[in-house]
Amino acid sequence: MRKPVMAGNWKMNCDNEEAEELANGVTARAGLNEKVQVVLCPPATALTTVGKVIANSNIALGAQNMFWEESGAYTGELSAQMLLSCGCEYVIVGHSERRGRFGSVDEDEADDLAAVFGDTDATVNRKARAALAAGLKPIICCGELLAERQEGKTDEVVVAQVKAALEGISADDLANVTFAYEPVWAIGTGEVCDADEANRVCELIRGTVGDMYSADLADEMRVLYGGSVKPANVRGLMEQEHIDGGLVGGASLDADSFGELITAAEEIRGQ
Ligand code: 13P
């Protein structure tokens, strides 16, 4: 059976003091939870701080991004080894905000951001492979833009992203891969994807992995949903067969609401 995951992606929020306080709040509520894998993904500057707070708990540390090279002249980038040395076990790879896939904001700004961050299917694959080679567990994000959904291209886009992300990844390494389906139009908008539809796309991701590897391996792989997950909608999502947890932005910045999400995951899916 797949252990549910509740991962908080803090994005560019929390200085060290705020990060320590938030990590303490989550640890107080869920630090000893054995039924849900809680993951905290603070900004890189707070990894060490949060790592210390959660050191004696069951909560895992995750980074929000990484670069695929081991070291060298890559100003501002972080290697898998550096993240491991901060205590990371997970790393988010290919978040839509790093792919520049901002479907719900001003298009001019979206173009600017795409140029700044610029992750593509190819770089996402390189990052995922480098993470696995170093012993980090990638949480690989995929999801369609609003326009792609409106044009009926959701399945095509998601399947292509999944296949590209997994190129060259062995069946053994697949055991350490988690996917997160994050429809771009549902991120930070308050507009959650309908639970049935989120489940359908998560099943599509699992089926795609099943076709590439085997049904057994796909059955063991965790697929999360992300996009405006909050206490009010988490239960409907967690009740879905193919949704193994959440990758949560806004609601993970408040220890009470994140704690409620963890409790819901435990009650509905915890074994
Ligand atoms: P929100 O939960 O704020 O919509 O963010 C989702 C997300 O992007 C998590 O990675």
Side-chain angles (χ1 to χ4, degrees), residues 143-166:
E144 80 287 358
L145 300 169
L146 181 59
E148 290 165 339
R149 172 161 285 268
Q150 287 167 340
E151 288 165 22
K153 291 186 179 161
T154 297
D155 294 11
E156 184 189 323
V157 168
V158 170
V159 169
Q161 288 176 341
V162 170
K163 284 186 174 167
L166 291 176

PDB file of all heavy atoms in Angstrom, residues 143-166:
ATOM      1  N   GLY A 143       1.527  19.208 -15.125  1.00  0.00           N
ATOM      2  CA  GLY A 143       0.183  19.792 -15.116  1.00  0.00           C
ATOM      3  C   GLY A 143       0.004  20.755 -16.269  1.00  0.00           C
ATOM      4  O   GLY A 143       0.967  21.335 -16.764  1.00  0.00           O
ATOM      5  N   GLU A 144      -1.248  20.901 -16.677  1.00  0.00           N
ATOM      6  CA  GLU A 144      -1.560  21.694 -17.859  1.00  0.00           C
ATOM      7  C   GLU A 144      -1.910  23.142 -17.506  1.00  0.00           C
ATOM      8  O   GLU A 144      -2.382  23.428 -16.410  1.00  0.00           O
ATOM      9  CB  GLU A 144      -2.721  21.046 -18.631  1.00  0.00           C
ATOM     10  CG  GLU A 144      -4.118  21.323 -18.076  1.00  0.00           C
ATOM     11  CD  GLU A 144      -4.428  20.574 -16.782  1.00  0.00           C
ATOM     12  OE1 GLU A 144      -3.588  19.801 -16.317  1.00  0.00           O
ATOM     13  OE2 GLU A 144      -5.538  20.799 -16.234  1.00  0.00           O
ATOM     14  N   LEU A 145      -1.720  24.020 -18.489  1.00  0.00           N
ATOM     15  CA  LEU A 145      -2.162  25.412 -18.375  1.00  0.00           C
ATOM     16  C   LEU A 145      -3.675  25.474 -18.611  1.00  0.00           C
ATOM     17  O   LEU A 145      -4.257  24.551 -19.194  1.00  0.00           O
ATOM     18  CB  LEU A 145      -1.487  26.267 -19.443  1.00  0.00           C
ATOM     19  CG  LEU A 145       0.039  26.330 -19.432  1.00  0.00           C
ATOM     20  CD1 LEU A 145       0.537  27.001 -20.710  1.00  0.00           C
ATOM     21  CD2 LEU A 145       0.516  27.095 -18.212  1.00  0.00           C
ATOM     22  N   LEU A 146      -4.275  26.581 -18.204  1.00  0.00           N
ATOM     23  CA  LEU A 146      -5.707  26.757 -18.429  1.00  0.00           C
ATOM     24  C   LEU A 146      -6.044  26.634 -19.923  1.00  0.00           C
ATOM     25  O   LEU A 146      -6.987  25.940 -20.309  1.00  0.00           O
ATOM     26  CB  LEU A 146      -6.165  28.120 -17.883  1.00  0.00           C
ATOM     27  CG  LEU A 146      -7.648  28.406 -18.032  1.00  0.00           C
ATOM     28  CD1 LEU A 146      -8.490  27.358 -17.311  1.00  0.00           C
ATOM     29  CD2 LEU A 146      -7.976  29.809 -17.491  1.00  0.00           C
ATOM     30  N   ALA A 147      -5.241  27.290 -20.734  1.00  0.00           N
ATOM     31  CA  ALA A 147      -5.523  27.268 -22.182  1.00  0.00           C
ATOM     32  C   ALA A 147      -5.441  25.846 -22.724  1.00  0.00           C
ATOM     33  O   ALA A 147      -6.243  25.444 -23.582  1.00  0.00           O
ATOM     34  CB  ALA A 147      -4.534  28.171 -22.918  1.00  0.00           C
ATOM     35  N   GLU A 148      -4.495  25.079 -22.219  1.00  0.00           N
ATOM     36  CA  GLU A 148      -4.354  23.691 -22.687  1.00  0.00           C
ATOM     37  C   GLU A 148      -5.580  22.858 -22.279  1.00  0.00           C
ATOM     38  O   GLU A 148      -6.072  22.032 -23.038  1.00  0.00           O
ATOM     39  CB  GLU A 148      -3.063  23.090 -22.124  1.00  0.00           C
ATOM     40  CG  GLU A 148      -1.827  23.715 -22.762  1.00  0.00           C
ATOM     41  CD  GLU A 148      -0.520  23.444 -22.030  1.00  0.00           C
ATOM     42  OE1 GLU A 148      -0.532  23.117 -20.814  1.00  0.00           O
ATOM     43  OE2 GLU A 148       0.529  23.596 -22.658  1.00  0.00           O
ATOM     44  N   ARG A 149      -6.060  23.102 -21.062  1.00  0.00           N
ATOM     45  CA  ARG A 149      -7.278  22.393 -20.625  1.00  0.00           C
ATOM     46  C   ARG A 149      -8.456  22.780 -21.510  1.00  0.00           C
ATOM     47  O   ARG A 149      -9.227  21.939 -21.957  1.00  0.00           O
ATOM     48  CB  ARG A 149      -7.573  22.711 -19.151  1.00  0.00           C
ATOM     49  CG  ARG A 149      -8.912  22.183 -18.672  1.00  0.00           C
ATOM     50  CD  ARG A 149      -8.997  22.090 -17.169  1.00  0.00           C
ATOM     51  NE  ARG A 149      -8.236  20.975 -16.643  1.00  0.00           N
ATOM     52  CZ  ARG A 149      -8.710  19.753 -16.424  1.00  0.00           C
ATOM     53  NH1 ARG A 149      -9.972  19.461 -16.704  1.00  0.00           N
ATOM     54  NH2 ARG A 149      -7.947  18.796 -15.957  1.00  0.00           N
ATOM     55  N   GLN A 150      -8.584  24.097 -21.758  1.00  0.00           N
ATOM     56  CA  GLN A 150      -9.721  24.554 -22.564  1.00  0.00           C
ATOM     57  C   GLN A 150      -9.682  24.000 -23.990  1.00  0.00           C
ATOM     58  O   GLN A 150     -10.700  23.802 -24.627  1.00  0.00           O
ATOM     59  CB  GLN A 150      -9.751  26.085 -22.584  1.00  0.00           C
ATOM     60  CG  GLN A 150     -10.211  26.657 -21.239  1.00  0.00           C
ATOM     61  CD  GLN A 150      -9.958  28.151 -21.093  1.00  0.00           C
ATOM     62  OE1 GLN A 150      -9.118  28.720 -21.801  1.00  0.00           O
ATOM     63  NE2 GLN A 150     -10.652  28.790 -20.161  1.00  0.00           N
ATOM     64  N   GLU A 151      -8.470  23.735 -24.458  1.00  0.00           N
ATOM     65  CA  GLU A 151      -8.336  23.165 -25.819  1.00  0.00           C
ATOM     66  C   GLU A 151      -8.423  21.643 -25.814  1.00  0.00           C
ATOM     67  O   GLU A 151      -8.181  20.999 -26.839  1.00  0.00           O
ATOM     68  CB  GLU A 151      -6.987  23.594 -26.415  1.00  0.00           C
ATOM     69  CG  GLU A 151      -6.926  25.062 -26.805  1.00  0.00           C
ATOM     70  CD  GLU A 151      -5.497  25.549 -27.035  1.00  0.00           C
ATOM     71  OE1 GLU A 151      -4.616  24.708 -27.304  1.00  0.00           O
ATOM     72  OE2 GLU A 151      -5.278  26.765 -26.917  1.00  0.00           O
ATOM     73  N   GLY A 152      -8.698  21.057 -24.643  1.00  0.00           N
ATOM     74  CA  GLY A 152      -8.830  19.602 -24.559  1.00  0.00           C
ATOM     75  C   GLY A 152      -7.494  18.866 -24.605  1.00  0.00           C
ATOM     76  O   GLY A 152      -7.437  17.688 -24.978  1.00  0.00           O
ATOM     77  N   LYS A 153      -6.423  19.566 -24.237  1.00  0.00           N
ATOM     78  CA  LYS A 153      -5.088  18.953 -24.368  1.00  0.00           C
ATOM     79  C   LYS A 153      -4.508  18.456 -23.046  1.00  0.00           C
ATOM     80  O   LYS A 153      -3.326  18.113 -22.976  1.00  0.00           O
ATOM     81  CB  LYS A 153      -4.125  19.988 -24.959  1.00  0.00           C
ATOM     82  CG  LYS A 153      -4.401  20.324 -26.401  1.00  0.00           C
ATOM     83  CD  LYS A 153      -3.306  21.242 -26.919  1.00  0.00           C
ATOM     84  CE  LYS A 153      -3.525  21.595 -28.367  1.00  0.00           C
ATOM     85  NZ  LYS A 153      -2.776  22.793 -28.747  1.00  0.00           N
ATOM     86  N   THR A 154      -5.321  18.446 -21.995  1.00  0.00           N
ATOM     87  CA  THR A 154      -4.794  18.081 -20.670  1.00  0.00           C
ATOM     88  C   THR A 154      -4.030  16.755 -20.698  1.00  0.00           C
ATOM     89  O   THR A 154      -2.875  16.680 -20.263  1.00  0.00           O
ATOM     90  CB  THR A 154      -5.953  17.989 -19.657  1.00  0.00           C
ATOM     91  OG1 THR A 154      -6.547  19.279 -19.542  1.00  0.00           O
ATOM     92  CG2 THR A 154      -5.464  17.550 -18.280  1.00  0.00           C
ATOM     93  N   ASP A 155      -4.668  15.725 -21.216  1.00  0.00           N
ATOM     94  CA  ASP A 155      -4.060  14.389 -21.160  1.00  0.00           C
ATOM     95  C   ASP A 155      -2.768  14.337 -21.967  1.00  0.00           C
ATOM     96  O   ASP A 155      -1.764  13.783 -21.520  1.00  0.00           O
ATOM     97  CB  ASP A 155      -5.042  13.329 -21.673  1.00  0.00           C
ATOM     98  CG  ASP A 155      -6.252  13.200 -20.746  1.00  0.00           C
ATOM     99  OD1 ASP A 155      -6.414  14.067 -19.853  1.00  0.00           O
ATOM    100  OD2 ASP A 155      -7.032  12.250 -20.909  1.00  0.00           O
ATOM    101  N   GLU A 156      -2.831  14.941 -23.131  1.00  0.00           N
ATOM    102  CA  GLU A 156      -1.659  14.956 -24.014  1.00  0.00           C
ATOM    103  C   GLU A 156      -0.466  15.643 -23.332  1.00  0.00           C
ATOM    104  O   GLU A 156       0.655  15.134 -23.330  1.00  0.00           O
ATOM    105  CB  GLU A 156      -2.078  15.732 -25.268  1.00  0.00           C
ATOM    106  CG  GLU A 156      -1.111  15.837 -26.392  1.00  0.00           C
ATOM    107  CD  GLU A 156      -1.669  16.829 -27.429  1.00  0.00           C
ATOM    108  OE1 GLU A 156      -2.909  16.855 -27.642  1.00  0.00           O
ATOM    109  OE2 GLU A 156      -0.871  17.580 -27.992  1.00  0.00           O
ATOM    110  N   VAL A 157      -0.734  16.798 -22.700  1.00  0.00           N
ATOM    111  CA  VAL A 157       0.330  17.564 -22.049  1.00  0.00           C
ATOM    112  C   VAL A 157       0.909  16.783 -20.874  1.00  0.00           C
ATOM    113  O   VAL A 157       2.129  16.650 -20.724  1.00  0.00           O
ATOM    114  CB  VAL A 157      -0.224  18.934 -21.556  1.00  0.00           C
ATOM    115  CG1 VAL A 157       0.752  19.624 -20.616  1.00  0.00           C
ATOM    116  CG2 VAL A 157      -0.554  19.825 -22.746  1.00  0.00           C
ATOM    117  N   VAL A 158       0.037  16.243 -20.048  1.00  0.00           N
ATOM    118  CA  VAL A 158       0.499  15.550 -18.836  1.00  0.00           C
ATOM    119  C   VAL A 158       1.272  14.276 -19.205  1.00  0.00           C
ATOM    120  O   VAL A 158       2.351  14.019 -18.664  1.00  0.00           O
ATOM    121  CB  VAL A 158      -0.702  15.240 -17.910  1.00  0.00           C
ATOM    122  CG1 VAL A 158      -0.289  14.311 -16.777  1.00  0.00           C
ATOM    123  CG2 VAL A 158      -1.266  16.541 -17.341  1.00  0.00           C
ATOM    124  N   VAL A 159       0.749  13.506 -20.139  1.00  0.00           N
ATOM    125  CA  VAL A 159       1.447  12.271 -20.539  1.00  0.00           C
ATOM    126  C   VAL A 159       2.824  12.603 -21.107  1.00  0.00           C
ATOM    127  O   VAL A 159       3.829  11.951 -20.774  1.00  0.00           O
ATOM    128  CB  VAL A 159       0.599  11.465 -21.555  1.00  0.00           C
ATOM    129  CG1 VAL A 159       1.415  10.345 -22.182  1.00  0.00           C
ATOM    130  CG2 VAL A 159      -0.641  10.903 -20.874  1.00  0.00           C
ATOM    131  N   ALA A 160       2.897  13.646 -21.918  1.00  0.00           N
ATOM    132  CA  ALA A 160       4.193  14.025 -22.509  1.00  0.00           C
ATOM    133  C   ALA A 160       5.174  14.452 -21.406  1.00  0.00           C
ATOM    134  O   ALA A 160       6.363  14.092 -21.439  1.00  0.00           O
ATOM    135  CB  ALA A 160       3.995  15.156 -23.516  1.00  0.00           C
ATOM    136  N   GLN A 161       4.700  15.200 -20.425  1.00  0.00           N
ATOM    137  CA  GLN A 161       5.576  15.630 -19.333  1.00  0.00           C
ATOM    138  C   GLN A 161       6.073  14.431 -18.523  1.00  0.00           C
ATOM    139  O   GLN A 161       7.239  14.371 -18.141  1.00  0.00           O
ATOM    140  CB  GLN A 161       4.847  16.616 -18.411  1.00  0.00           C
ATOM    141  CG  GLN A 161       4.633  17.988 -19.043  1.00  0.00           C
ATOM    142  CD  GLN A 161       3.819  18.911 -18.144  1.00  0.00           C
ATOM    143  OE1 GLN A 161       3.132  18.457 -17.238  1.00  0.00           O
ATOM    144  NE2 GLN A 161       3.891  20.197 -18.419  1.00  0.00           N
ATOM    145  N   VAL A 162       5.190  13.503 -18.253  1.00  0.00           N
ATOM    146  CA  VAL A 162       5.567  12.325 -17.451  1.00  0.00           C
ATOM    147  C   VAL A 162       6.603  11.487 -18.197  1.00  0.00           C
ATOM    148  O   VAL A 162       7.636  11.101 -17.644  1.00  0.00           O
ATOM    149  CB  VAL A 162       4.311  11.481 -17.112  1.00  0.00           C
ATOM    150  CG1 VAL A 162       4.700  10.138 -16.508  1.00  0.00           C
ATOM    151  CG2 VAL A 162       3.398  12.253 -16.165  1.00  0.00           C
ATOM    152  N   LYS A 163       6.339  11.245 -19.474  1.00  0.00           N
ATOM    153  CA  LYS A 163       7.269  10.415 -20.255  1.00  0.00           C
ATOM    154  C   LYS A 163       8.643  11.087 -20.345  1.00  0.00           C
ATOM    155  O   LYS A 163       9.668  10.430 -20.173  1.00  0.00           O
ATOM    156  CB  LYS A 163       6.716  10.195 -21.669  1.00  0.00           C
ATOM    157  CG  LYS A 163       5.592   9.188 -21.709  1.00  0.00           C
ATOM    158  CD  LYS A 163       5.201   8.917 -23.152  1.00  0.00           C
ATOM    159  CE  LYS A 163       4.178   7.787 -23.215  1.00  0.00           C
ATOM    160  NZ  LYS A 163       3.545   7.705 -24.539  1.00  0.00           N
ATOM    161  N   ALA A 164       8.634  12.392 -20.598  1.00  0.00           N
ATOM    162  CA  ALA A 164       9.917  13.093 -20.734  1.00  0.00           C
ATOM    163  C   ALA A 164      10.670  13.108 -19.408  1.00  0.00           C
ATOM    164  O   ALA A 164      11.896  12.932 -19.367  1.00  0.00           O
ATOM    165  CB  ALA A 164       9.664  14.531 -21.217  1.00  0.00           C
ATOM    166  N   ALA A 165       9.949  13.291 -18.327  1.00  0.00           N
ATOM    167  CA  ALA A 165      10.612  13.374 -17.006  1.00  0.00           C
ATOM    168  C   ALA A 165      11.290  12.064 -16.644  1.00  0.00           C
ATOM    169  O   ALA A 165      12.309  12.046 -15.959  1.00  0.00           O
ATOM    170  CB  ALA A 165       9.584  13.744 -15.941  1.00  0.00           C
ATOM    171  N   LEU A 166      10.736  10.946 -17.120  1.00  0.00           N
ATOM    172  CA  LEU A 166      11.238   9.629 -16.698  1.00  0.00           C
ATOM    173  C   LEU A 166      12.254   9.030 -17.674  1.00  0.00           C
ATOM    174  O   LEU A 166      12.758   7.933 -17.422  1.00  0.00           O
ATOM    175  CB  LEU A 166      10.064   8.657 -16.534  1.00  0.00           C
ATOM    176  CG  LEU A 166       9.129   8.942 -15.360  1.00  0.00           C
ATOM    177  CD1 LEU A 166       7.965   7.965 -15.359  1.00  0.00           C
ATOM    178  CD2 LEU A 166       9.884   8.857 -14.029  1.00  0.00           C
TER     179      LEU A 166
END
